[in-house]
Amino acid sequence: MMEFLFLDLDDTILDFHKAERIALSKTLAGFGLEPTEEVLARYHVINRLHWERLERGELTRDQVLEGRFRVLFTELGHPVDAVAVTRCYERNLGIGHYFLPGAQQAVEHLHKKYRLFLASNGTASVQHARLTSAGLYPYFEKVFISQDIGYNKPAKEYFDACFSQIPGFDPEKAMMVGDSLTSDILGGIRAGIRTCWVNPNHQPPRQDIPADFEIENLSQLEDLLEAM
């Protein structure tokens, strides 16, 4: 029986895409760049590539957070202070929260039966603000944010640091649940615990990153666990 559940935050519990779109649009407009669909789409490509390089250990967090904006604005012929843009974006992103369908109720129910831990790669100040806004802290025994830990998912060191802070931890009774194959699922595999991929858009699986289980949304997790 599972006892220790590690839940990702963005696009597992909270709708990061919605929050990001609102925060990004405000930020770009504030720095004189119209947030058209084309611009937003290009940002997403640049952002994803930067975060993937972070997961591979090729970039630091600051290089990701500032570099994505530096590349975007430079490509569009509108160079700006990337540090200032990053700070503005993080302030906007930390305002409010948006639960994915059924996620709030799922966390509330899971909390009654399992020991819950939050495992996020997000920026610490932003994630703490969103967790507070969403009222999620009472449901988690501990919150592990990579910037606070000193390592990023999917590094084994990240999970080792988390496990060392959990009294009575047993990896045989632990599961990592999240939407990212390259961060959550690969991290769980490297850490030697079970994994559950949250895949709402039915993306094709990757043979090199096989999840133990797959669900469409977090509201399906309790039934999955009960059936194990």
Side-chain angles (χ1 to χ4, degrees):
M1 178 180 175
M2 291 294 100
E3 180 180 351
F4 310 89
L5 298 183
F6 294 83
L7 305 182
D8 177 50
L9 181 63
D10 291 323
D11 292 327
T12 299
I13 300 174
L14 298 182
D15 188 337
F16 181 75
H17 287 294
K18 181 176 181 178
E20 178 190 50
R21 184 182 181 87
I22 293 172
L24 183 59
S25 296
K26 290 180 179 178
T27 302
L28 296 179
F31 283 84
L33 195 61
E34 184 180 355
T36 65
E37 291 299 324
E38 182 179 4
V39 170
L40 295 176
R42 182 55 187 156
Y43 168 83
H44 289 308
V45 172
I46 295 170
N47 183 56
R48 184 181 70 251
L49 293 174
H50 275 67
W51 280 103
E52 288 175 355
R53 292 187 66 189
L54 175 77
E55 292 167 2
R56 295 194 298 266
E58 298 172 1
L59 294 177
T60 66
R61 177 173 296 273
D62 286 343
Q63 287 173 329
V64 170
L65 300 181
E66 298 168 13
R68 57 188 177 177
F69 288 114
R70 184 175 294 110
V71 170
L72 177 67
F73 277 85
T74 299
E75 281 188 3
L76 297 172
H78 193 86
V80 293
D81 181 347
V83 175
V85 176
T86 299
R87 289 174 179 168
C88 179
Y89 172 69
E90 290 180 351
R91 286 195 300 270
N92 289 330
L93 189 59
I95 299 172
H97 63 275
Y98 309 94
F99 279 102
L100 288 168
Q104 183 175 13
Q105 295 79 4
V107 171
E108 292 173 354
H109 292 161
L110 292 167
H111 167 69
K112 299 174 182 178
K113 298 181 179 181
Y114 305 94
R115 296 173 67 180
L116 302 187
F117 304 88
L118 190 90
S120 172
N121 261 0
T123 302
S125 60
V126 173
Q127 300 303 62
H128 287 306
R130 297 170 71 225
L131 286 165
T132 299
S133 174
L136 284 169
Y137 274 108
Y139 298 105
F140 291 96
E141 187 171 324
K142 287 184 180 294
V143 169
F144 299 115
I145 298 177
S146 59
Q147 191 174 21
D148 295 330
I149 295 293
Y151 298 98
N152 302 299
K153 295 181 294 181
K156 184 177 183 297
E157 291 85 352
Y158 170 89
F159 288 91
D160 288 341
C162 297
F163 299 164
S164 69
Q165 298 182 47
I166 302 174
F169 179 74
D170 182 352
E172 294 295 323
K173 298 180 180 180
M175 177 183 285
M176 178 68 221
V177 182
D179 69 293
S180 172
L181 287 175
T182 57
S183 176
D184 303 312
I185 305 307
L186 181 58
I189 292 171
R190 289 178 174 175
I193 62 176
R194 288 184 175 88
T195 59
C196 181
W197 183 27
V198 181
N199 185 18
N201 297 318
H202 304 285
Q203 296 294 318
R206 283 181 53 171
Q207 296 301 316
D208 58 330
I209 311 178
D212 294 306
F213 304 96
E214 181 179 333
I215 56 178
E216 188 174 299
N217 56 65
L218 202 60
S219 63
Q220 297 173 341
L221 181 59
E222 186 173 6
D223 287 343
L224 170 67
L225 294 170
E226 292 296 316
M228 291 177 62

